[in-house]
Amino acid sequence: MANSGSPKKVLMLCGDYMEDAEAMVPFQALQAYGLSVDAVCPGKKSGDICRTAIHQGSPHQTYSESRGHNFSLNATFDEIDSSTYDGLIIPGGRAPEYLSMNESVLDLVKHFVKSEKPIASICHGQLILAAADVVKGRKVTAYPTVGPMLVAAGAHWVEPETMASCFVDGNIITGAAYDGHAEYINHFIKALGGTLTGSNKRILFLCGDYMEDYEVLVPFQSLQALECHVDAICPNKSAGDTCPTAVHDFEGDQTYSEKTGHDFKLTANFKDTDASSYDGLVIPGGRAPEYLALDQDVIKLVKHFMDAGKPIASICHGQQILSAAGLLKGKKCTAYPAVKLNVVLGGGTWLEPDPIDRCFTDGNLVTGAAWPGHPQFVSQFMSLLGVRVCF
């Protein structure tokens, strides 16, 4: 949760085939913290979509690319007044290659630099900074292949030690890739004048193969950015193992579509987990909950959090696990509409998710219907945890 009053306003500069996570994680995380975020793209208007790309390491000599979610813009590029915004976010991916040739984009970036407002740019986004001629004498990092262009533009290149590396020089925050979102977003919050309270919480994520990509990445990195200790576990897997994720999107069919998402790296061993050492639990949706609900060790783990009255946040199909554990009896909750049967048969009182981004809190339980509701979902979970962002 965030303090009341006029929210800080942030502008996000989008384009087709920007990296999926590098757009949505900061977009929804900042909204969850109480900021107002407008996403714009040259030549497009509010309500239009940008295609996104999923970039990740591969056994080949460079990263792989696959189609990500469709990202909906919520403002019109030609109508924005840059002077009304407090900060700028530039995602990476392939979009910056062509955005760096757009004079209106370069003028926009120059305004933020001249006004000494915070700019956070990640991965290939720094191509735009180089084209705008705003990195001379600045220490910056980026995805390694962007380094030569930044050097040619007069920057002091900081080689990223890992893909989680970030660097701050004045009002410019740069990151190598989405692995570093926690530090990257944290720096941006503080550059905007934000302070954190209650951030010493320990949070556990219950993961599984083909959980929804956004539904694990967004809350996981959002909570990390608030300086919480966040662990991710999966039955029969260990720290360092990965879970494949699924991109579930709404593309005009009678149900959601599915594409391959990012591989998500686990941070802890399921069999060694001491549930009593954690302050809260998050259950992502996707297809993983269907089979996790059959695992008695999973059921035992989830029951610990409910019996102890600790905050639980479950989204989309995650409520299938809560239903199987018998934890929805007497609870008011929502879920993805197709999961209504699980909720009702599990003794829960069904709350219609209308609109689909609506989330609810009943006691220690936060439930959401799908990833468009992440700002509410994460914010309500923060409230239960006592984590706060103040400006």
Side-chain angles (χ1 to χ4, degrees):
M1 62 182 295
N3 57 305
S4 57
S6 298
K8 294 282 186 178
K9 287 186 62 179
V10 173
L11 187 66
M12 178 174 286
L13 182 57
C14 301
D16 285 334
Y17 298 104
M18 58 187 175
E19 211 288 328
D20 197 358
E22 290 170 4
M24 188 57 86
V25 173
F27 181 74
Q28 292 191 318
L30 293 172
Q31 290 180 78
Y33 308 154
L35 286 77
S36 172
V37 188
D38 284 342
V40 297
C41 175
K44 298 194 180 190
K45 59 185 182 297
S46 179
D48 290 346
I49 65 166
C50 283
R51 305 287 189 190
T52 71
I54 288 177
H55 289 168
Q56 59 182 355
S58 75
H60 306 295
Q61 292 184 343
T62 189
Y63 55 84
S64 65
E65 176 174 310
S66 58
R67 280 282 303 278
H69 297 81
N70 295 320
F71 185 97
S72 295
L73 304 170
N74 63 349
T76 301
F77 184 86
D78 291 339
E79 297 176 357
I80 59 169
D81 177 359
S82 58
S83 67
T84 65
Y85 293 93
D86 300 294
L88 176 68
I89 295 273
I90 306 176
R94 287 194 291 110
E97 294 176 348
Y98 79 88
L99 292 176
S100 65
M101 299 185 292
N102 186 306
E103 290 299 325
S104 295
V105 166
L106 302 185
D107 287 343
L108 178 72
V109 172
K110 289 175 183 177
H111 163 79
F112 281 90
V113 172
K114 185 177 180 180
S115 303
E116 298 185 347
K117 296 177 179 179
I119 297 176
S121 180
I122 199 163
C123 194
H124 288 70
Q126 287 81 300
L127 290 172
I128 297 173
L129 301 182
D133 195 27
V134 298
V135 293
K136 284 182 180 176
R138 300 273 196 156
K139 293 180 180 179
V140 295
T141 194
Y143 191 75
T145 57
V146 182
M149 279 73 82
L150 290 168
V151 171
H156 294 299
W157 171 246
V158 179
E159 187 71 29
E161 295 182 6
T162 70
M163 288 300 97
S165 294
C166 296
F167 202 85
V168 180
D169 188 339
N171 66 319
I172 296 182
I173 302 158
T174 51
Y178 55 77
D179 306 65
H181 270 152
E183 182 181 354
Y184 173 78
I185 295 171
N186 181 274
H187 283 312
F188 189 63
I189 294 168
K190 292 178 178 178
L192 290 168
T195 58
L196 309 178
T197 58
S199 57
N200 58 340
K201 301 298 188 296
R202 289 174 53 84
I203 313 301
L204 188 64
F205 273 64
L206 180 56
C207 301
D209 289 346
Y210 298 104
M211 58 189 167
E212 211 287 328
D213 183 86
Y214 277 166
E215 289 172 6
V216 63
L217 274 175
V218 172
F220 188 87
Q221 293 187 320
S222 297
L223 292 165
Q224 283 185 318
L226 297 177
E227 301 175 9
C228 293
H229 176 91
V230 189
D231 277 330
I233 58 171
C234 175
N236 303 313
K237 296 195 181 190
S238 302
D241 291 345
T242 61
C243 286
T245 69
V247 169
H248 287 169
D249 216 341
F250 311 99
E251 301 182 291
D253 302 311
Q254 291 185 342
T255 188
Y256 53 84
S257 62
E258 179 170 308
K259 298 183 283 284
T260 300
H262 297 87
D263 290 333
F264 183 84
K265 185 178 288 188
L266 303 169
T267 65
N269 303 332
F270 184 90
K271 62 183 178 61
D272 298 329
T273 299
D274 177 7
S276 67
S277 69
Y278 292 93
D279 301 296
L281 175 70
V282 177
I283 307 175
R287 289 195 288 109
E290 294 177 344
Y291 78 88
L292 292 177
L294 304 176
D295 188 315
Q296 289 306 306
D297 289 331
V298 166
I299 299 301
K300 180 180 177 181
L301 178 78
V302 175
K303 282 183 174 179
H304 162 81
F305 283 89
M306 186 62 77
D307 291 345
K310 296 178 180 179
I312 298 174
S314 182
I315 197 164
C316 193
H317 287 68
Q319 287 80 302
Q320 290 175 319
I321 296 174
L322 300 178
S323 178
L327 301 179
L328 294 182
K329 293 175 182 176
K331 288 285 188 180
K332 297 177 181 178
C333 74
T334 193
Y336 189 70
V339 182
K340 179 178 179 178
L341 181 62
N342 298 77
V343 172
V344 173
L345 292 179
T349 299
W350 174 253
L351 299 176
E352 194 68 36
D354 186 16
I356 197 68
D357 62 353
R358 192 174 183 190
C359 298
F360 298 91
T361 298
D362 184 354
N364 66 320
L365 179 63
V366 177
T367 53
W371 56 257
H374 275 148
Q376 289 187 40
F377 182 73
V378 174
S379 178
Q380 291 180 30
F381 189 54
M382 288 168 60
S383 295
L384 292 181
L385 292 167
V387 179
R388 190 178 178 90
V389 183
C390 300
F391 291 96

